[in-house]
Amino acid sequence: MKEYKILSPSGIVGYGFPEESFAAGVALKPDLIACDGGSTDPGPYYLGSGIPFTNATAVKRDLRLMLKAARELQIPLVIGTAGGCGADVHVAREVGIIHEIAKEEKLSFKMAVISAEFEKPALLEHLRAGRIEKLGPAPVVTEKDITDSTHIVAQMGIEPIMAALDDGAEVVICGRCYDPAAFAAPAIRAGYDKALSLHLGKILECATICATPGSASDCMMGYLGEDYFEVEPLSPGRKCTPTSVSAHTLYEKTDPYILPGPGGHLNLLNCTFEAVSDRRVRVTGSRFVPETVPTVKLEGAREAGYRTVSICGNRDPLFIAQIDTIVENVKKRTAANLSANFPFELDFIIYGKNGVMGALEPAPQITSHEIGIVIDAVADTAEHSAAVCSVARSTLLHYGYEGRIATAGNVAFPFSPSDIKVGAIYTFSVYALLRHKNPLSLFPITYEEVKA
Amino acid sequence: MKIALRNVANVIRSKNAGPFELTLDILLKEKEMFDKIKAADIINKKTIAALYRVAEEDVISIVYFPNAKAIKATIVRPLASGALGERDVYGAQQHAPLMDFVFEL
């Protein structure tokens, strides 16, 4: 069986990659260029608001190189989770960029765009039919969670991508996508082992994070054979070792042996990782265990109010010693001033105390000579959150705590204006599994002949 | 003999495993130390619960992964990534209690 070669240019479209590494990959005549475009890591804001977390200029730079190379080599280009979160609005941004590039570079091709976003009535129907299951520690999904959400997507597996390629698509732009699927689907369609293809996809979706030194902004090459796959970074400054590749299997996962995904899980208990050279690693023994009824993962976010923050610091030992009491009293004063009018949340993040770990912080006391303070005010409207932040900030600035000696002002502001209006904020509202006999039907595909 | 975890590990890190879980990875330098820690059951649900001051039932799993000389612990996030009052959207700075962990072998 001929080796199937996959070029993964970057950890996320828009994170960039060196042109020399990419050219080295293209010179190896890959059968596929694929790149992951998203993650839930940057938090709920980007899915909820519909704003991509990747920058349009950076995305265009990356996509231009990928698209030109794929058309030149006459191989498919598959982009997973377009626009960072893969709702229709994110996908539309990426499709717009593809059109611009096609025009500028005079490229023509058949493009498939796969939607991963749900209409609320359809999802409510699934919920009422008992097809939505709780996932790990995430809360049980209610009808209100669905109706309150601004965007709800599902992670597609390999099926819609394979269908798009069957229909002759040369460029496939996916909405929310199980990260390995963009890499695995074309390989599985070409007759390669499902488990190995998915496991390779799992490694390639992070590009060179599995190498040493690791990076999400450099190119990785994957080679699939009949009963193995191999990975090798394209920059001479990096290498893959059995430890670096097997260690990557741990990254961002609950369990390194059992990796659940759409339609089943990868079982890596009997995997072996061996060095082929000092920079290339061969993996064997991956298994795929299908589910009786396939599931896809749902992700949704809803608006959670409006935020205004103020950043300041304190360098006074008397103030620092009383910080907990001071914060409590400023909260009380602010509430007394405003809470008759509207509900709000007021939080003080104290760097130097527990600003990074919050409730998980084990250190019992502040040992720093200075502390950083972030006032976090969230309310139902932008104006209300600004009012809460403003009252809390001025109260804190002039609060007369016990034994105060420095009476001019309690905090130092690095900026004027001191208060930063963040705008609407979001929270994850749906994180669950949807059981469905025919997952292909959940992801509608549209085709377009893109003309130069 | 008292051993500081940070002296025998190459990597000690934390990261989200999805928005509702926090996963902690310890990659040890030597296979021998990995085997000893595993045999003595140094890192278990009780250790992690104590270090992070969470209930033992909120420690989802502890996995020893010999391929990478690694130990992985996953806990329920006290607050979901990006929720009100939450402090670390990526979960990438929750490793310090493990770094300060000292054990007896």
Side-chain angles (χ1 to χ4, degrees):
Chain A
M1 201 173 194
K2 179 184 158 290
E3 267 187 346
Y4 189 88
K5 290 177 277 188
I6 306 174
L7 170 56
S8 168
S10 182
I12 285 188
V13 181
Y15 279 16
F17 49 85
E19 283 196 42
E20 311 79 70
S21 303
F22 186 71
V26 170
L28 292 167
K29 302 245 178 308
D31 299 284
L32 165 71
I33 299 176
C35 196
D36 177 28
S39 171
T40 53
D41 256 358
Y45 176 79
Y46 304 95
L47 175 60
S49 67
I51 295 169
F53 67 82
T54 47
N55 173 274
T57 307
V59 166
K60 190 171 178 179
R61 180 269 183 191
D62 288 1
L63 282 180
R64 185 191 304 275
L65 290 166
M66 291 185 219
L67 194 56
K68 278 171 71 178
R71 296 322 309 134
E72 209 158 288
L73 293 165
Q74 296 287 305
I75 57 168
L77 171 65
V78 181
I79 303 297
T81 311
C85 301
D88 289 347
V89 58
H90 304 99
V91 175
R93 200 265 317 244
E94 236 74 340
V95 168
I97 292 173
I98 292 277
H99 279 138
E100 287 173 23
I101 298 168
K103 208 169 159 193
E104 289 161 15
E105 300 290 340
K106 304 199 173 20
L107 300 171
S108 300
F109 47 87
K110 182 170 178 174
M111 177 165 67
V113 178
I114 310 176
S115 170
E117 184 154 6
F118 278 91
E119 301 285 347
K120 288 175 191 174
L123 206 53
L124 285 168
E125 213 169 282
H126 289 309
L127 182 70
R128 287 169 193 149
R131 289 192 281 266
I132 296 182
E133 292 172 10
K134 184 174 154 56
L135 176 58
V140 172
V141 175
T142 64
E143 294 206 6
K144 191 172 182 325
D145 292 330
I146 293 173
T147 49
D148 283 354
S149 295
T150 48
H151 296 287
I152 303 171
V153 294
Q155 289 189 6
M156 70 182 75
I158 55 171
E159 300 85 0
I161 302 169
M162 289 170 74
L165 294 169
D166 284 343
D167 287 339
E170 297 165 294
V171 173
V172 183
I173 306 294
C174 306
R176 186 60 171 136
C177 178
Y178 174 55
D179 296 342
F183 303 84
I188 294 167
R189 184 173 168 271
Y192 291 81
D193 180 71
K194 189 174 185 175
L196 289 168
S197 302
L198 285 167
H199 190 188
L200 174 59
K202 197 107 206 161
I203 293 171
L204 288 181
E205 63 102 349
C206 290
T208 47
I209 287 186
C210 75
T212 179
S215 166
S217 310
D218 203 350
C219 310
M220 181 64 89
M221 200 76 183
Y223 304 83
L224 258 171
E226 195 174 349
D227 53 3
Y228 67 90
F229 69 81
E230 293 175 0
V231 284
E232 183 172 358
L234 287 157
S235 150
R238 304 181 194 285
K239 54 185 185 174
C240 280
T241 67
T243 306
S244 77
V245 175
S246 59
H248 178 68
T249 312
L250 298 167
Y251 190 60
E252 301 177 330
K253 312 289 179 310
T254 311
D255 184 329
Y257 293 116
I258 306 291
L259 309 177
H265 69 261
L266 272 175
N267 181 317
L268 308 184
L269 270 167
N270 297 318
C271 263
T272 55
F273 301 78
E274 48 188 333
V276 179
S277 72
D278 64 342
R279 55 196 312 275
R280 183 157 165 158
V281 169
R282 173 179 284 217
V283 181
T284 51
S286 326
R287 286 190 298 133
F288 183 78
V289 184
E291 300 169 296
T292 15
V293 182
T295 57
V296 291
K297 191 193 278 186
L298 300 172
E299 296 163 356
R302 66 167 170 82
E303 201 181 284
Y306 287 77
R307 166 170 280 153
T308 305
V309 298
S310 185
I311 300 169
C312 52
N314 175 281
R315 179 65 179 83
D316 184 319
L318 303 176
F319 179 97
I320 292 174
Q322 293 181 66
I323 183 67
D324 292 346
T325 326
I326 293 168
V327 162
E328 202 177 306
N329 286 326
V330 170
K331 278 186 178 175
K332 272 187 203 152
R333 290 269 188 92
T334 310
N337 263 317
L338 295 169
S339 65
N341 304 322
F342 52 85
F344 63 85
E345 299 282 340
L346 176 60
D347 188 21
F348 288 75
I349 305 172
I350 312 295
Y351 288 98
K353 180 177 184 275
N354 62 357
V356 171
M357 295 192 67
L360 294 179
E361 177 57 61
Q365 61 197 33
I366 301 175
T367 54
S368 173
H369 61 283
E370 65 178 19
I371 57 173
I373 302 171
V374 177
I375 304 172
D376 177 20
V378 174
D380 56 343
T381 67
E383 177 48 33
H384 286 162
S385 81
V388 174
C389 189
S390 165
V391 172
R393 183 244 309 137
S394 56
T395 307
L396 177 69
L397 179 61
H398 296 297
Y399 180 73
Y401 57 90
E402 189 76 32
R404 179 165 73 146
I405 293 174
T407 53
N410 297 328
V411 287
F413 296 102
F415 311 125
S416 172
S418 59
D419 300 359
I420 304 160
K421 288 175 180 155
V422 175
I425 59 161
Y426 295 81
T427 193
F428 285 114
S429 51
V430 174
Y431 195 72
L433 294 177
L434 169 63
R435 249 183 307 118
H436 203 282
K437 278 183 203 142
N438 181 11
L440 180 59
S441 66
L442 298 171
F443 303 96
I445 310 172
T446 49
Y447 296 95
E448 186 187 344
E449 291 292 343
V450 179
K451 298 258 188 270
Chain B
M1 187 175 60
K2 275 200 185 314
I3 296 169
L5 189 59
R6 74 168 86 170
N7 292 337
V8 294
N10 277 328
V11 174
I12 298 176
R13 69 185 177 198
S14 69
K15 187 77 202 283
N16 292 347
F20 294 90
E21 295 177 15
L22 182 73
T23 192
L24 305 156
D25 296 343
I26 305 157
L27 276 63
L28 293 155
K29 289 178 189 166
E30 305 297 339
K31 182 69 169 35
E32 198 189 336
M33 184 54 71
F34 171 86
D35 291 336
K36 279 186 188 165
I37 292 176
K38 185 171 192 279
D41 192 30
I42 298 293
I43 306 278
N44 54 34
K45 286 196 173 187
K46 202 167 255 164
T47 336
I48 295 297
L51 280 174
Y52 283 85
R53 305 182 312 145
V54 296
E56 231 176 286
E57 56 265 30
D58 285 340
V59 182
I60 298 166
S61 63
I62 308 277
V63 183
Y64 283 79
F65 190 54
N67 269 333
K69 297 170 280 188
I71 307 161
K72 188 176 199 41
T74 303
I75 65 172
V76 176
R77 264 175 158 280
L79 290 166
S81 165
L84 283 186
E86 200 272 324
R87 302 295 167 82
D88 186 359
V89 171
Y90 288 68
Q93 277 297 311
Q94 306 300 313
H95 58 286
L98 278 174
M99 227 171 208
D100 294 338
F101 179 55
V102 176
F103 58 97
E104 193 104 30
L105 262 186

